[in-house]
Amino acid sequence: MKNHAITLEDRYCAHNYEPLPVVLSSGKGIWLWDQDGKRYMDMMSAYSAVSFGHSHPTLVAALSKQAGQLAVVSRAFYSDQLGPFLQLLCEMTGMPKALPMNSGAEAVETAIKAARKWGHKVKGIADQTAEIIVCRGNFAGRTTTIVGFSSEAQYRDGFGPFSGGFATVPFGDAAALEAAITPRTAAFLVEPIQGEAGIIVPPEGYLAKCREICDRHNVLLICDEVQTGLGRTGRLLASDHDGIKPDGLILGKALGGGLLPVSAFLAREDLMAVFTPGDHGSTFGGNPLSAAVGHAALRLLREEKLADNAQRMGERLLTGLRAIQHPAIRQVRGKGLLIGMDLDPGFISAREFCERLMQQGILSKDTHDTVVRFAPPLIITANDIDAALEAIKHTFSSLLTPPAHLTERSYA
């Protein structure tokens, strides 16, 4: 008999997701529990949104305190929380100005608007003609503008007409970027590591080359670090690995501490100066509750040195995964605690592997049918990593046997 919660969701929710058949009811740290009390290690952390773990007491306390005092007011007024939050965010990232939003996609849209207006007002590109270069395999969100420059057919199918104004180049190819630049080019929008594409890491020094090219052609370099930012790859920002500073920076996911949607577009002074009152806004962007949680999350990230832990634990996990000898594994790649394991679909699909991992008490997610993602909370320990590796090894050792029936605990 199908689980009641699954039945209700299937009945009343749009079928735009295909969840694993597990019904979660509570979480603490890196652990999640289902309705029957079975414990699972969270190796997804909601695409990096839960970088601090579930229900972190410091963040829950900040949320509760602010919620009981003042949660939401219009940006038509000042609040005592937004200024300190943005100050800390700018100081930690080295960016002079920030514009708070909610979702990552909203922050990307903000960056697009800023780049286009900068191209027209500052660079002198004719109005309505500015172009932004993006990379094949990108994923920046689900708005119609964003899916309009996606190279994934499903993300575009049926959602046009699209606005245009984008050119696409191969990811990791700096020469292709330079060849695509024209007098109408305002910006290059790039993920330092492509997550949704399957954890694709570019060649070493790629961003540094892109920085030099953009400087030479007076083109903005905008890094989409919604998923890779705030410690995920072993540095505060993934762009830090190449020692570069972008002109625009997009953050989200972990910025909300796993409790709220919080995002921001950060930029150099002249780029952010294109916005004047009335140009852009958000009902909830920068609200006191989000600002208080975001401020607490940033302090926690710094005080607990979570980027350093991500580097150490990521190396441990990456080394352990690469040591597994199995013909189903085609490649293991990643940086810090953002790792993809590419599987041969002739042996097993990534979805089926995630289903088998779930039976071993590990929750992960497949992408593009062949890649299993591992992105646990940044608070994970060496013992946790070793336990996860044992479960993964056990899953590989059982590949020659049929998977246990997924209805064994009434999840049909």
Side-chain angles (χ1 to χ4, degrees), residues 123-363:
K123 189 173 179 178
I125 300 171
D127 193 19
Q128 305 294 317
T129 67
E131 191 171 72
I132 296 172
I133 298 174
V134 297
C135 289
R136 191 172 302 126
N138 72 78
F139 182 84
R142 302 283 191 175
T143 66
T144 52
T145 296
I146 291 171
V147 298
F149 61 76
S150 173
S151 57
E152 184 70 21
Q154 182 185 359
Y155 300 162
R156 298 168 55 89
D157 184 29
F159 297 122
F162 301 113
S163 64
F166 299 94
T168 303
V169 297
F171 180 61
D173 187 341
L177 165 64
E178 185 155 32
I181 292 174
T182 74
R184 296 188 296 110
T185 304
F188 176 45
L189 173 62
V190 61
E191 301 160 88
I193 296 173
Q194 289 189 331
E196 188 69 19
I199 319 300
I200 308 299
V201 182
E204 187 174 349
Y206 169 64
L207 283 183
K209 292 177 183 176
C210 293
R211 174 73 280 176
E212 187 273 326
I213 290 167
C214 288
D215 285 342
R216 188 150 34 84
H217 291 277
N218 192 26
V219 168
L220 300 168
L221 175 60
I222 300 176
C223 287
D224 176 357
E225 298 227 29
V226 170
Q227 185 169 182
T228 60
L230 302 179
R232 171 57 53 185
T233 68
R235 299 285 184 91
L236 178 67
L237 304 173
S239 52
D240 289 341
H241 290 283
D242 269 18
I244 65 105
K245 186 175 182 179
D247 303 303
L249 172 66
I250 307 167
L251 295 175
K253 296 195 184 298
L255 196 55
L259 298 174
L260 294 169
V262 182
S263 67
F265 172 59
L266 299 99
R268 69 191 202 195
E269 294 275 358
D270 69 314
L271 176 51
M272 199 66 84
V274 302
F275 289 117
T276 60
D279 277 356
H280 193 53
S282 166
T283 298
F284 289 94
N287 68 76
L289 185 61
S290 294
V293 171
H295 192 263
L298 290 172
R299 291 200 313 270
L300 198 63
L301 179 71
R302 184 174 60 183
E303 292 166 4
E304 297 194 359
K305 296 181 171 55
L306 293 181
D308 293 341
N309 191 62
Q311 181 178 10
R312 293 192 304 272
M313 296 303 104
E315 289 175 357
R316 191 181 190 96
L317 180 56
L318 201 59
T319 299
L321 290 172
R322 286 174 172 166
I324 299 173
Q325 299 296 312
H326 195 284
I329 301 175
R330 295 195 295 197
Q331 187 183 30
V332 177
R333 53 184 178 258
K335 196 178 288 288
L337 286 172
L338 183 61
I339 296 172
M341 184 172 64
D342 196 347
L343 302 179
D344 182 345
F347 279 88
I348 189 171
S349 70
R351 167 75 183 206
E352 184 184 348
F353 192 87
C354 288
E355 290 172 347
R356 288 175 178 255
L357 267 183
M358 184 184 75
Q359 295 169 0
Q360 297 299 316
I362 301 289
L363 292 181

Side-chain angles (χ1 to χ4, degrees), residues 15-176:
H15 294 169
N16 59 324
Y17 280 90
E18 188 180 7
L20 291 178
V22 58
V23 181
L24 302 172
S25 60
S26 63
K28 190 73 172 176
I30 68 165
W31 301 103
L32 291 162
W33 285 265
D34 68 13
Q35 287 183 317
D36 295 334
K38 180 175 178 178
R39 188 178 76 163
Y40 303 84
M41 185 184 295
D42 184 358
M43 292 293 282
M44 261 292 291
S45 63
Y47 307 97
S48 299
V50 190
S51 284
F52 303 95
H54 297 276
S55 305
H56 194 292
T58 299
L59 301 179
V60 171
L63 175 76
S64 300
K65 179 182 177 183
Q66 189 62 39
Q69 187 167 318
L70 180 66
V72 177
V73 292
S74 169
R75 286 291 310 282
F77 314 105
Y78 289 96
S79 80
D80 61 355
Q81 296 298 314
L82 184 56
F85 166 52
L86 297 184
Q87 178 186 12
L88 182 58
L89 182 59
C90 288
E91 288 175 351
M92 287 180 66
T93 59
M95 304 297 287
K97 292 282 187 180
L99 196 162
M101 296 298 287
N102 306 289
S103 70
E106 287 176 285
V108 173
E109 288 274 2
T110 303
I112 291 169
K113 290 175 74 173
R116 285 174 170 172
K117 192 167 185 180
W118 177 90
H120 175 50
K121 299 290 187 180
V122 179
K123 189 173 179 178
I125 300 171
D127 193 19
Q128 305 294 317
T129 67
E131 191 171 72
I132 296 172
I133 298 174
V134 297
C135 289
R136 191 172 302 126
N138 72 78
F139 182 84
R142 302 283 191 175
T143 66
T144 52
T145 296
I146 291 171
V147 298
F149 61 76
S150 173
S151 57
E152 184 70 21
Q154 182 185 359
Y155 300 162
R156 298 168 55 89
D157 184 29
F159 297 122
F162 301 113
S163 64
F166 299 94
T168 303
V169 297
F171 180 61
D173 187 341

